[in-house]
């Protein structure tokens, strides 16, 4: 079974990151959640990044606000795909500091970046990555996407 690591810089990020956790659990993907602060627990960050692939993770979703170094640092240490979630935090500059910190990675250290507070899309993207090698997850994604289409079509009927 595939597993996704969902990490965040502080517990205050959990309300945003919960969307990723929920969507992954909805696809029956195992999720391990932890707090790993790039600035307050650098040793934990290094250990997590260097060993995530040996702990059975397929993808890491990292959410962070403010300076938002967590996703990029994990990506610098891990061979796994990393999805960054910029979080609009209390010390944020309308979230732009987080968005740009995660988005503007140097060549060779990619981080897939979703929208500000876009943890749901991070969960879906992680599931799609896993779905490339797990047909059960792929089938659930196909059903999910069909459900999105049905909702839109039903909404359009309500307008007429």
């Amino acid at each position: 079974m595939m597993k996704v690591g969902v990490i965040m810089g502080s517990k205050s990020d959990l309300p945003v990151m919960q969307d990723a956790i929920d969507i992954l659990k909805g696809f029956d993907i195992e999720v391990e959640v932890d707090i790993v602060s790039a600035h307050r627990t650098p040793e934990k960050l290094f250990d997590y990044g260097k060993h995530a692939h040996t702990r059975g993770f397929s993808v890491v979703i990292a959410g962070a606000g403010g300076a938002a170094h967590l996703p990029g640092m994990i990506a610098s240490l891990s061979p796994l795909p990393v999805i960054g979630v910029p979080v609009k935090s209390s010390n944020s500059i309308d979230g732009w500091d987080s968005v740009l910190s995660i988005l503007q990675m140097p060549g060779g250290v990619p981080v897939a970046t979703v929208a500000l507070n876009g943890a749901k899309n991070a969960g879906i993207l992680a599931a799609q990555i896993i779905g490339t090698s797990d047909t059960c997850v792929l089938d659930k994604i196909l059903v999910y996407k069909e459900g999105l289409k049905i909702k839109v079509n039903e909404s359009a009927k309500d307008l007429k």
Side-chain angles (χ1 to χ4, degrees), residues 5 8 47 138:
M8 61 207 83
D47 183 64
L138 180 62

Side-chain angles (χ1 to χ4, degrees), residues 10 30 48 75 102 128 131 135:
S10 71
E30 185 179 348
Y48 191 98
I102 298 171
Q128 290 175 318
T135 56

Side-chain angles (χ1 to χ4, degrees), residues 74-97:
I74 292 295
S76 75
L77 296 163
S78 178
L80 298 176
V82 175
I83 303 169
V85 179
V87 175
K88 185 177 179 182
S89 60
S90 61
N91 66 338
S92 183
I93 305 168
D94 273 346
W96 280 108
D97 45 351

Side-chain angles (χ1 to χ4, degrees), residues 107-125:
V109 187
V111 174
T113 310
V114 296
L116 184 64
N117 291 348
K120 181 177 182 179
N121 276 353
I124 295 166
L125 181 56

Side-chain angles (χ1 to χ4, degrees), residues 1-155:
M1 182 175 187
M2 302 290 189
K3 181 168 65 170
V4 174
V6 175
I7 57 175
M8 61 207 83
S10 71
K11 191 174 181 179
S12 64
D13 298 332
L14 184 58
V16 170
M17 299 305 290
Q18 190 65 49
D19 288 341
I21 297 163
D22 292 343
I23 200 85
L24 290 164
K25 287 183 177 180
F27 289 127
D28 296 319
I29 296 171
E30 185 179 348
V31 181
E32 185 177 301
V33 182
D34 203 353
I35 296 171
V36 181
S37 172
H39 301 106
R40 294 175 294 252
T41 61
E43 296 86 0
K44 184 176 183 179
L45 176 141
F46 272 76
D47 183 64
Y48 191 98
K50 286 183 177 181
H51 299 104
H53 68 287
T54 65
R55 295 177 50 207
F57 294 119
S58 300
V59 180
V60 175
I61 298 174
H69 288 100
L70 181 61
M73 289 301 297
I74 292 295
S76 75
L77 296 163
S78 178
L80 298 176
V82 175
I83 303 169
V85 179
V87 175
K88 185 177 179 182
S89 60
S90 61
N91 66 338
S92 183
I93 305 168
D94 273 346
W96 280 108
D97 45 351
S98 305
V99 170
L100 294 173
S101 293
I102 298 171
L103 186 66
Q104 292 297 106
M105 292 301 299
V109 187
V111 174
T113 310
V114 296
L116 184 64
N117 291 348
K120 181 177 182 179
N121 276 353
I124 295 166
L125 181 56
Q128 290 175 318
I129 291 168
I130 290 169
T132 63
S133 61
D134 184 323
T135 56
C136 291
V137 172
L138 180 62
D139 290 342
K140 290 173 187 171
I141 292 166
L142 290 168
V143 168
Y144 176 81
K145 292 207 174 241
E146 184 64 24
L148 294 175
K149 181 173 84 173
I150 290 168
K151 284 181 188 176
V152 169
N153 288 335
E154 287 175 358
S155 295

